């Protein structure tokens, strides 16, 4: 799986958009970009994933650059409850035989949303 | 809602003890995972299983073993616990692409 690079920490004012970057310059053509977050003392929670088109759901938007070497997770109106560690992961699609379905996490970005 | 349940939130064991961490999921998922999480190191994959009785090593399998006798249950075993295995252990499952469902975690302290 391709390696990702994220800033260790970011701050955001409540109500503003939080834009979390991720570099994945070695991503392969069949690798997806996944985002998870982990609120303190809880298990990680899935947010969104995409291949090359931008994606949006009720939680966030995912913008992937045209060359797919980087992406940005956007929380459009951050709240205090969005304070968490955000993980960007790239991996091939599921459905491979044997051990293809593993997901490798890095250290993520600690997002702090403040008043 | 999908539920991944880990048997214990907090455990305290002594060095050399055998430790079992149990994980059960209720959505008939094929794939189950065990991670450990330590400050500054993120989540690291210990073992995963893609079917009953099938398992593969993750990135840090040393000192651990696993058991998957039934589809819904994935156990992590520390044959002889050591202090460097003090950590938060997270179980997860998924049936397909996209979403990995995590349990609440088991915080193990080895004295």
């Amino acid at each position: 799986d391709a390696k990702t690079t994220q800033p260790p920490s970011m701050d955001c004012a409540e109500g503003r958009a939080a834009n979390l970057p991720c570099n994945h310059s070695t991503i392969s053509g069949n690798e997806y970009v996944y985002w998870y977050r982990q609120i303190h003392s809880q298990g990680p929670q899935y947010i969104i994933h995409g291949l090359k088109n931008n994606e949006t759901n009720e939680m966030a938007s995912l913008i992937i650059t045209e060359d797919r070497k980087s992406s940005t997770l956007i929380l459009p109106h951050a709240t205090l409850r969005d304070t968490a560690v955000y993980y960007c992961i790239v991996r091939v699609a599921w459905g491979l035989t044997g051990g293809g379905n593993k997901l490798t996490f890095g250290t993520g970005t600690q997002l702090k949303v403040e008043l | 809602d999908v539920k991944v349940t880990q048997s214990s939130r907090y455990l305290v064991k002594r060095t050399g003890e055998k430790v079992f961490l149990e994980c059960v999921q209720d959505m008939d998922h094929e794939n189950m995972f065990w991670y450990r999480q330590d400050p500054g190191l993120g989540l690291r994959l210990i073992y995963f299983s893609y079917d009953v009785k099938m398992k593969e090593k993750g990135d840090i399998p040393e000192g651990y073993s696993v058991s998957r006798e039934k589809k819904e249950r994935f156990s992590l075993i520390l044959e002889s616990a050591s202090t460097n295995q003090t950590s938060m252990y997270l179980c997860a499952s998924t049936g397909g692409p996209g979403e990995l469902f995590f349990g609440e975690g088991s915080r193990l302290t080895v004295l």
Side-chain angles (χ1 to χ4, degrees), chain A residues 34 36 38 41-46 49 87 94 98-107, chain B residues 9 31 33 35 37 40-43 45 48 50 56 59 94 96-100 102-103:
Chain A
Y34 290 82
Y36 284 74
Q38 186 175 23
S41 298
Q42 297 181 20
Q45 175 192 25
Y46 166 83
H49 77 284
Y87 296 96
W94 297 89
N101 293 326
K102 71 174 188 176
L103 212 63
T104 301
F105 288 74
T107 53
Chain B
R9 286 299 304 271
N31 304 282
F33 306 79
Y35 292 86
Q37 184 170 31
L41 297 176
L43 280 78
L45 182 64
F48 62 104
Y50 50 92
E56 282 207 17
D59 300 316
T94 185
E99 194 166 357
L100 200 64
F102 281 85

Side-chain angles (χ1 to χ4, degrees), chain B residues 21-36:
Chain B
L21 298 177
E22 304 283 342
C23 176
V24 177
Q25 50 93 3
D26 64 1
M27 282 302 290
D28 201 36
H29 285 167
E30 291 83 14
N31 304 282
M32 297 188 74
F33 306 79
W34 275 106
Y35 292 86
R36 66 176 280 178

Side-chain angles (χ1 to χ4, degrees), chain B residues 21-76:
Chain B
L21 298 177
E22 304 283 342
C23 176
V24 177
Q25 50 93 3
D26 64 1
M27 282 302 290
D28 201 36
H29 285 167
E30 291 83 14
N31 304 282
M32 297 188 74
F33 306 79
W34 275 106
Y35 292 86
R36 66 176 280 178
Q37 184 170 31
D38 302 287
L41 297 176
L43 280 78
R44 293 180 292 167
L45 182 64
I46 305 171
Y47 265 98
F48 62 104
S49 169
Y50 50 92
D51 203 349
V52 174
K53 297 190 186 294
M54 306 303 285
K55 60 187 179 185
E56 282 207 17
K57 294 179 180 179
D59 300 316
I60 51 162
E62 297 79 19
Y64 303 94
S65 61
V66 289
S67 173
R68 185 104 180 264
E69 296 296 319
K70 293 185 177 181
K71 194 175 187 180
E72 68 270 17
R73 187 179 298 269
F74 191 35
S75 302
L76 181 69

Side-chain angles (χ1 to χ4, degrees), chain A residues 9-81:
Chain A
S9 64
M10 292 182 66
D11 294 331
C12 180
E14 190 177 33
R16 304 297 294 268
N19 298 291
L20 294 103
C22 179
N23 285 318
H24 31 80
S25 58
T26 60
I27 193 170
S28 301
N30 62 347
E31 287 183 312
Y32 286 70
V33 180
Y34 290 82
W35 283 85
Y36 284 74
R37 75 179 183 183
Q38 186 175 23
I39 295 169
H40 184 62
S41 298
Q42 297 181 20
Q45 175 192 25
Y46 166 83
I47 302 172
I48 199 167
H49 77 284
L51 183 62
K52 50 184 165 182
N53 297 321
N54 298 337
E55 302 286 345
T56 295
N57 63 20
E58 65 278 3
M59 288 182 71
S61 295
L62 173 60
I63 308 298
I64 303 174
T65 58
E66 194 168 339
D67 63 7
R68 302 206 328 119
K69 292 186 177 181
S70 65
S71 60
T72 301
L73 179 76
I74 301 172
L75 309 178
H77 304 287
T79 70
L80 298 178
R81 288 175 294 179

Side-chain angles (χ1 to χ4, degrees), chain B residues 8-23:
Chain B
S8 305
R9 286 299 304 271
Y10 301 95
L11 302 95
V12 180
K13 299 291 181 181
R14 296 202 176 275
T15 301
E17 279 193 79
K18 190 169 185 176
V19 181
F20 290 88
L21 298 177
E22 304 283 342
C23 176

